[in-house]
Structures are given as C-alpha cells and as structure tokens.
Amino acid sequence: MHALECEQLTKVYRSGIRNKREIRALQEVSIAVESGQIFSLLGPNGAGKTTFVKILLSLTHPTGGRALVLDRPVTESRVRRRVGYLPENHRFPAYLTGEQVMMSFGSLAGVHRSALSGRIDQLLTLVGMQEWRKVKVRKYSKGMMQRLGLAQALVNDPELVFLDEPTDGVDPVGRKEIRDVLRNLREQGKTIFLNSHLLSEVELVSDRVAILDKGKLLKVGTVEELTTTESSYTIGCQGPLPDALRTEADARVLGVTFSAEGVVAHVADPAALNAVIDLLRKHGVLITSVTPQRSTLEESFINLIKREIPS
Amino acid sequence: MSILVLIRLTLRELSSKVTMYILAGISTLVLLGLALAVSVDSMADGEVLKLFGQQVSPPVPLEELAKAVQQMQAGLAGGLFTGIILFGVFATAGVIPDMLERGTVDLYISKPISRWELLLGKYCGAVAAIGLNIIYFLAGAWLVFGLRCGVWDINLLLSALTMTFMFAALYAMVVFFGTWTRSTAASIILTYLYLFILGGILHNRELTLYLISENAVYRGVIDGFYYLFPQISGMQENGAKQIMQVEMDWKPFLQSFFSGSVFFLAAAVILKRRDF
Ligand SMILES: Nc1ncnc2c1ncn2[C@@H]1O[C@H](COP(=O)(O)OP(=O)(O)OP(=O)(O)O)[C@@H](O)[C@H]1O
Ligand SMILES: [Mg+2]
C-alpha cells in the first residue's frame, strides 16, 4: 500500500501584477511512498521541497497533477486526522505554554480530551520537554521549539508524518534522539516523509530518497542505489600484477586503473566488468573480491545537482 | 467540537492582550464612577435623579422615576456602543492576521478542519470576548441602577444582545479585511475608514453621493453599497429604543445580518483560494 502517491504534480507561483513573474516550484513530480518507510526529499534551497509537502497537506493548491494521501484526495480535510506535520519555521502562539500548545493543537487534530493528557505526557518525555511544559512558548529556544513541534506533529498518533527540516537548530545529541524517534516510529509501522538538507543524517535513517532540484525530480531510490556509482568497481587481487596485463589493459582501453589493493574498473555495464575479470584471470591474477564503489550521499547529491546546472 | 477549541484558543489569545485589559479596566472604572455618582433623593414635590450630587431630572412621583433612569441608561449604552466600536475593533482586529502568519497558519490548516471552520471559530471567539465585555458592563450598570435607584430594568440587560449582534456584524467586516490584507493595522484603518467616513457618506447618500449624478444605475450601485455594509447607526438607535422601551426597527437587524454574512463568505472564499 502507498502512504502517499502523486502524479505529475505541478505548482506554478504567479506573483507581481504588472510584470507577471512565474516561479515553477514543482514540475511534473511523481512520487509514491510505501507505508512503513522513511522517505526523504533532498534538494538545494528553493528546490520545491516545502512546496511539495504543503500541497500534500492542502496548504497550497497544485497547478496540475494529482495527489493522494492515505488513499484519499488531499483536499479532503478529514484525512488529516491520520496525518502529522512539523512545518518548517513553525511558530506556535506565544501566549501558550508547551502543554497548552499540545492540548489545543491535539484537540484540533481530533484527539479526544480523555486520551490527550496521557499522550501529551508520553510525547513530552519522548522529546525531552517535560520540564518545560508549564513555560510559555515565547521563552523557548529554537531547538526547544523544534522538539515541541515534533511532539505536536505526533499528538494524534498519525499514520503518516511530514517533517520539514526536523533537526533544524537542534544540538547533536538532540539530533541523535530525533533519529531514534524516527526509527522507533518506523518500527511501529508509521510512514515518515522527511525534508532535509543534512545529507549525512538522511543517509542514516532513510529507506528511500528522492532528489529534487528546481522543481524537477532528478532521482528516486534507496540510499544504496543513490550512493553506488554503478560504473566503478574495486577488484581486490592477490600478489603483484604482471606488466603484460597492464599493457594489454591499456591497449584494449578497458578503463582500468591500478592501485595498491588491486584494480579499479570504470565500466559501462556488467559485461565490461566481466571482460576486465576475464583479462585478469587470463594473466593468472588471483581475485579476492569485487566490490562496487560507494560514494557518500553528499557526493552523489552534489554530482547530480552539478550535472543539472548546464541544462 | 473544533469550533469550541478555536473559541477557547481565541479567548485565551485575547486575554493575553493588554488592550483587552484596558477595555475591561475602563468598563470597571466607569461602573465604579457611576455607582458613586448616581443617586435618587426624595424632595418635597417628588423623587429626583442626581449625578455627582447635581439634580438631573425634574421631581417626579416614584412610579415615573424609571423613565428618567431609562434616559440615563440609554445615554450610558450609547457611550458603551461607541467604546465598543473603537476599542473592540482595535483589540480584536489582530485575531485573523495573527492566525494567518507564516509558520502559524501551517499549524492550523494541517489539522483536520476546513478553512471556513477555522475562520468561524476565530470569528466566534473574538465576538464572544467582546460579548463578555458588553455583558460585564451592562450587568454591572444594571446592578448599579438597581441598587442605587431601585430601578431594575431588564431591557438594559437585554440590550447586551443587541449590542453584541451589532459588533458581530461589524466584526465580519474586520475578518474580511484581516483575511484579505493579512495585516492588523490595515484592517483597523479600513474599518475605521468605513465607520468614520464612508459609513456617514453612505448613510447620508441623498445629501452627498446622489448629487453627483441622477443616473438610476449609479444610485442603485450606491444603494447596494449602503446595504452591503453593517447598519451601525441603525443598530445604535435600536439599542437606545430597546432601553427606552420603544419598538425597535427590524430592518437594521436584517441588513446587518445580510452584510455580516456577505463579508464572512467573501473572507471564506479568499481564504479557501489562498496558497500558504
Ligand atoms: N507562497 C509563495 N509564493 C511565491 N513563490 C513561492 C511561495 N512559496 C515558495 N515559493 C517559491 O517556490 C520555490 C520553492 O520553494 P520551497 O520553499 O518549496 O523550497 P525548499 O526546497 O523548501 O527550500 P529550502 O530548502 O530553502 O526550505 C522557491 O523559488 C520559492 O521562491
Ligand atoms: Mg523548505
């Protein structure tokens, strides 16, 4: 089952009365997220990540395309009983205490009063805000606001949670705690949709990742798929490599480089990889391992975005 | 259900604002002053009403004193009326713009509530806050006149309903300006602009705008505008009539209800279509 599904989602912001300016915040984005996954949307500033989430919460109306949340159209307000949301740069009414925020927004989210106080206790403990529950929100630090925001997003025990930059302004220990919270939610079968800049963090928790740039979806896949540069393999070899091998490899232009541990093959497809292996075997080289080369998510992200720039 | 939560939230929001305390404080001061100032004395030729020790009504038999008291009550209600328009709008104009602020509106709209319900909840909350203030003041005044003059006039209490209705009609316009401009200052300015300038011009359109042209279409449009806006002066007269026990004119009620509905609907449409 898909927790959310959208097809050809497009959003064009029009601004300015005299010289109409159009911002194409999303261009025909199609994404489907399986239930029970942590799905991350990555992209540089202004890529359209927040716009995407806002459309799924019906805060913004799409210019084109179709979007379903938990199998219901996003325009149906009732579906949001089962959805949680931590907005980017959220601002709770400053006159409320943390506890009152949870009470008010919990009731608005459709949680029954009788269930609410137990739930609030549990969530404030989870995000480490118990001590601050009686303090007015206007006295909170940025990270505390963020923690309260996360608790608020979970108040209705949602099946699907949208978190827009949840670790923004949170200290390293807090970030680790939030990651643990996310993993925990996944174990309970919840679906989490994450918007983030922090690639190293996304890498740690996400099941699937989508990369968005200038409103266009560049790539979707598992972290593994995105960080595996399919064309590079390290072939571990035992003993020194014969010179004849080197000359033949250069002559046949196999795209092979030699290193201390063995051979690095930059190949177009598995057949080419096997050609390299055949060559090594022909020269009597003892192969100990063949491993695809991994880059960090950050490296592949930057490569992907860079490639897009000329277009 | 959600509407009640929103009303509570709005009452809490307003009770955190200093303007609401000023409003309640002024009401209290006026009531205290009134309690000290007003009295009834028996003279040889009848009863007289006194304000700060000064006789303000001719001596009348006790049965007719109520009329003089009503006169004074109507004057007081008129003062309250003006105060509510000035301070009430000022104190509550921020309710909608504050809700629509970036980062806050996201929290509200992402809840399982439709946008018009959000608007309605906030609207009712603000009207309730002002309504409570009106009731506080009028119930206080009712007590003062009862205790000091022995005149217990239920119509003074009932006029709280008329006055709250008037504010509700006016506040729909404030909600419209607030939704449209998303600015508290702009909402206040536009509302005052209507109350102090445009409202008067439209009310006296025979002496002002009608003079520009005799064209029936033009005059029709002007009339349309007149009926589009809440009938503040008509409602004010109704408030006085209610206290004086004169039959009220139902037309301002109907027109204000119509105007309030139109403004609220327009606000709901604007809100529904907006991207946040
Ligand atoms: N309400 C709006 N009106 C007009 N343009 C908007 C609006 N909201 C967003 N945009 C534009 O849409 C584009 C995408 O913005 P969005 O906030 O979705 O980016 P983002 O990926 O979340 O960026 P960031 O990482 O900085 O949060 C930007 O060019 C932005 O200027
Ligand atoms: Mg964003």
Side-chain angles (χ1 to χ4, degrees), chain A residues 49-50 88 164-165 195:
Chain A
K49 305 182 296 293
T50 300
E88 158 184 72
D164 202 344
E165 319 267 353
N195 273 1

Side-chain angles (χ1 to χ4, degrees), chain A residues 13 23 25 44-51 88 165 197:
Chain A
Y13 286 112
I23 299 171
N45 292 128
K49 305 182 296 293
T50 300
T51 303
E88 158 184 72
E165 319 267 353
H197 291 296

Side-chain angles (χ1 to χ4, degrees), chain A residues 13 130 177 181 243 257 303:
Chain A
Y13 286 112
Q130 267 297 1
E177 287 168 4
V181 169
D243 283 342
T257 52
N303 282 334

Side-chain angles (χ1 to χ4, degrees), chain B residues 151-162:
Chain B
V151 177
W152 300 94
D153 188 353
I154 195 75
N155 286 304
L156 185 62
L157 281 180
L158 288 178
S159 71
L161 292 178
T162 310

Side-chain angles (χ1 to χ4, degrees), chain A residues 23-242:
Chain A
I23 299 171
R24 306 191 154 270
L26 288 178
Q27 304 186 38
E28 307 193 336
V29 173
S30 302
I31 290 180
V33 178
E34 299 266 339
S35 300
Q37 286 200 334
I38 300 183
F39 189 100
S40 296
L41 191 57
L42 299 179
N45 292 128
K49 305 182 296 293
T50 300
T51 303
F52 182 79
V53 166
K54 283 185 170 178
I55 288 177
L56 293 174
L57 288 153
S58 203
L59 273 152
T60 293
H61 308 296
T63 316
R66 211 171 63 98
L68 295 179
V69 163
L70 301 171
D71 289 329
R72 312 294 318 166
V74 290
T75 42
E76 234 176 63
S77 62
R78 273 180 59 88
V79 73
R80 298 197 287 272
R81 267 175 191 273
R82 297 147 66 202
V83 174
Y85 176 41
L86 168 66
E88 158 184 72
N89 305 321
H90 60 277
R91 289 194 7 206
F92 290 117
Y95 51 87
L96 297 177
T97 64
E99 188 180 87
Q100 288 167 341
V101 163
M102 294 293 287
M103 272 288 182
S104 309
F105 287 92
S107 312
L108 288 180
V111 186
H112 203 269
R113 270 198 96 74
S114 56
L116 207 48
S117 66
R119 182 90 190 129
I120 290 172
D121 258 345
Q122 187 193 342
L123 284 170
L124 290 180
T125 309
L126 184 73
V127 298
M129 289 294 291
Q130 267 297 1
E131 291 172 54
W132 293 89
R133 64 187 294 163
K134 302 270 183 211
V135 177
K136 289 249 157 70
V137 168
R138 66 162 62 88
K139 293 184 184 156
Y140 282 14
S141 72
K142 182 158 188 212
M144 285 152 81
M145 278 296 246
Q146 204 68 6
R147 285 160 186 259
L148 181 65
L150 181 62
Q152 183 275 144
L154 301 177
V155 69
N156 52 340
D157 196 18
E159 289 164 48
L160 170 64
V161 199
F162 292 95
L163 305 173
D164 202 344
E165 319 267 353
T167 54
D168 191 26
V170 179
D171 59 46
V173 178
R175 287 182 190 185
K176 164 95 178 46
E177 287 168 4
I178 289 180
R179 282 202 299 276
D180 292 340
V181 169
L182 301 188
R183 290 199 187 97
N184 204 315
L185 288 168
R186 175 174 52 192
E187 266 163 42
Q188 295 170 31
K190 317 280 186 203
T191 313
I192 297 161
F193 192 99
L194 204 64
N195 273 1
S196 185
H197 291 296
L198 297 168
L199 298 149
S200 50
E201 273 186 28
V202 165
E203 201 164 3
L204 290 171
V205 293
S206 309
D207 297 305
R208 282 174 79 75
V209 177
I211 295 180
L212 194 68
D213 186 30
K214 301 196 192 78
K216 286 196 202 129
L217 192 63
L218 299 187
K219 215 159 186 176
V220 190
T222 61
V223 173
E224 211 150 79
E225 283 163 10
L226 290 181
T227 53
T228 308
T229 27
E230 283 149 36
S231 47
S232 289
Y233 295 85
T234 307
I235 304 173
C237 308
Q238 213 171 49
L241 301 169

